[in-house]
Amino acid sequence: MSRAWTAEAFYTQLEEPPTLAEYTQQARDFVARHVAEKRKVVLVTQSGGTTVPLEKNMVRFLDNFSAGTRGAASAEYFLEAGYAVIFMSRQHSQFPFTRWYSHTTNPLFDLLEEPAEGEETVQVSQAHVQGLLPILHAYHEAKRRGRLLTVPFVTVIEYLFLLRNMSEVMDPLGRHAMQYLAAAVSDFFVPADKLSEHKIQSDDQALTLQLEPVPKVLGSLVASWAPNAFVVSFKLETDEKLLIPKAERSLHKYGHQLVIGNLLQRRKFEVVLVEPHDHTWVRLPSTSAAPPHEIERDIVAAIAERHESWIASV
Ligand code: 9Z3
């Protein structure tokens, strides 16, 4: 029989990741600076999945499809909108700014000219300068102004501990805090006491895995960790009929401000913003070509506007 983990049991019985205290302190300092400057801060949880190790000395793991584009792109647009960003970054997933040149369709080395024999400077080829410059400026500006804090994670356990601590340290921001929970969090995991120490041997045998349900922590986040924050969660479905009803159910159950619903197949082109008495579609004009304009730009604009009205409403 598998256990049904409550959030409380999860956080008291599982061991804290060793790096948690250090990242929590970094976030506390970051938040204090932005509280003093009266700036809004958003916690963006990377959409690039959460790893579920199958061995303590991990050779194999379970994961999901997401490369983390939603989170990385949204972080850039939040910075552009004047927010400071705590970016919970899943290792090896897309990262704000560098994402433009980190994948095989646009490799970094194609940007650079090969120097002549004996030359020791490397230049960006003229054809790429125009595209690169705004990204490079925005990246350096975010760094120079201390607007982007990255906290890395790999496993679902690291993710859940970080999420709790990041939410709690943002409390001094009051309504100026936003949680933007884009991560595609695993629904199942193997707790440490059930994990094989070493690489599972195949021995030509079938492998049976017993996975335990990951506790749903959104309730704790909304009620206890971040009771003053503007909380945006995501709902992913593959069946269109379920999208709005399930987003509404989540909003009703947890009592937060907004759920962004998206379908796996059309997530780059349309999402629906579900609020307590309303829902609004955000759509790119065409689904036929690769979007020249990313939908995250429009999502962030719509959310930032709602956050602002919500701050003003007290
Ligand atoms: C999302 O729905 C994200 O938008 C995506 C983005 C993971 C689809 P990519 O970055 O993907 O474009 O590759 N994230 C949340 C998905 C999720 O697991 N939500 C849970 C659920 O639907 C609730 S928290 O039950």
Side-chain angles (χ1 to χ4, degrees):
M1 271 293 285
S2 79
R3 291 172 267 199
W5 288 89
T6 59
E8 207 203 338
F10 182 93
Y11 287 105
T12 48
Q13 291 174 30
L14 297 191
E15 212 171 300
E16 271 188 21
T19 49
L20 183 70
E22 181 192 332
Y23 294 137
T24 305
Q25 189 53 47
Q26 285 177 14
R28 199 173 282 122
D29 297 344
F30 183 83
V31 165
R33 199 151 39 78
H34 295 295
V35 168
E37 293 171 14
K38 296 190 169 47
R39 183 166 298 106
K40 287 175 278 189
V41 179
V42 59
L43 175 71
V44 176
T45 70
Q46 168 103 65
S47 46
T50 53
T51 298
V52 177
L54 300 185
E55 295 130 345
K56 280 190 188 159
N57 289 286
M58 186 179 74
V59 175
R60 304 185 188 92
F61 54 86
L62 299 176
D63 215 310
N64 69 41
F65 70 95
S66 171
T69 314
R70 178 80 87 217
S74 301
E76 286 178 25
Y77 298 118
F78 275 119
L79 288 165
E80 201 177 298
Y83 281 78
V85 177
I86 300 178
F87 185 66
M88 276 177 53
S89 169
R90 213 288 292 267
Q91 198 182 39
H92 305 309
S93 291
Q94 299 275 25
F95 193 78
F97 307 113
T98 57
R99 73 189 171 101
W100 292 97
Y101 299 101
S102 62
H103 42 86
T104 42
T105 51
N106 205 5
L108 174 68
F109 277 17
D110 281 0
L111 277 189
L112 307 174
E113 281 172 5
E114 190 185 2
E117 189 82 28
E119 261 185 47
E120 292 204 343
T121 51
V122 177
Q123 286 197 336
V124 172
S125 79
Q126 201 49 43
H128 289 290
V129 168
Q130 272 218 323
L132 173 68
L133 269 184
I135 300 167
L136 195 63
H137 281 314
Y139 168 76
H140 282 291
E141 173 150 315
K143 270 184 74 174
R144 206 171 32 246
R145 295 178 170 234
R147 297 278 173 90
L148 177 62
L149 176 73
T150 306
V151 279
F153 69 93
V154 178
T155 69
V156 66
I157 295 178
E158 289 166 354
Y159 167 85
L160 288 170
F161 273 97
L162 271 180
L163 179 64
R164 181 195 61 182
N165 285 22
M166 295 301 114
S167 307
E168 286 176 346
V169 300
M170 288 172 74
D171 199 47
L173 289 152
R175 288 200 162 208
H176 279 66
M178 187 198 297
Q179 314 280 329
Y180 185 83
L181 309 173
V185 183
S186 172
D187 285 320
F188 303 99
F189 79 121
V190 187
D193 60 354
K194 302 257 181 76
L195 272 183
S196 159
E197 181 72 29
H198 292 290
K199 182 182 171 216
I200 300 168
Q201 297 300 310
S202 67
D203 299 329
D204 293 330
Q205 303 261 349
L207 174 64
T208 306
L209 289 173
Q210 170 111 344
L211 301 170
E212 300 190 7
V214 167
K216 304 276 180 223
V217 299
L218 189 52
S220 305
L221 185 147
V222 174
S224 324
W225 307 339
N228 300 305
F230 188 83
V231 178
V232 179
S233 70
F234 281 72
K235 177 59 67 188
L236 174 68
E237 291 298 335
T238 54
D239 179 349
E240 196 169 349
K241 291 191 297 298
L242 296 179
L243 188 62
I244 294 179
K246 289 199 71 174
E248 284 174 340
R249 210 174 305 158
S250 168
L251 206 56
H252 189 248
K253 182 164 177 194
Y254 299 114
H256 55 304
Q257 283 67 39
L258 204 143
V259 179
I260 301 185
N262 51 178
L263 291 170
L264 179 67
Q265 313 83 324
R266 299 214 292 269
R267 68 188 191 282
K268 308 268 184 210
F269 308 102
E270 65 175 27
V271 303
V272 59
L273 310 185
V274 179
E275 295 168 276
H277 304 290
D278 206 4
H279 69 260
T280 316
W281 285 94
V282 175
R283 289 194 171 98
L284 286 182
S286 156
T287 56
S288 55
H293 166 141
E294 294 182 300
I295 194 161
E296 286 78 11
R297 177 182 287 284
D298 298 340
I299 298 174
V300 167
I303 301 289
E305 193 185 304
R306 284 161 174 77
H307 187 200
E308 196 55 52
S309 324
W310 187 74
I311 293 170
S313 70
V314 283

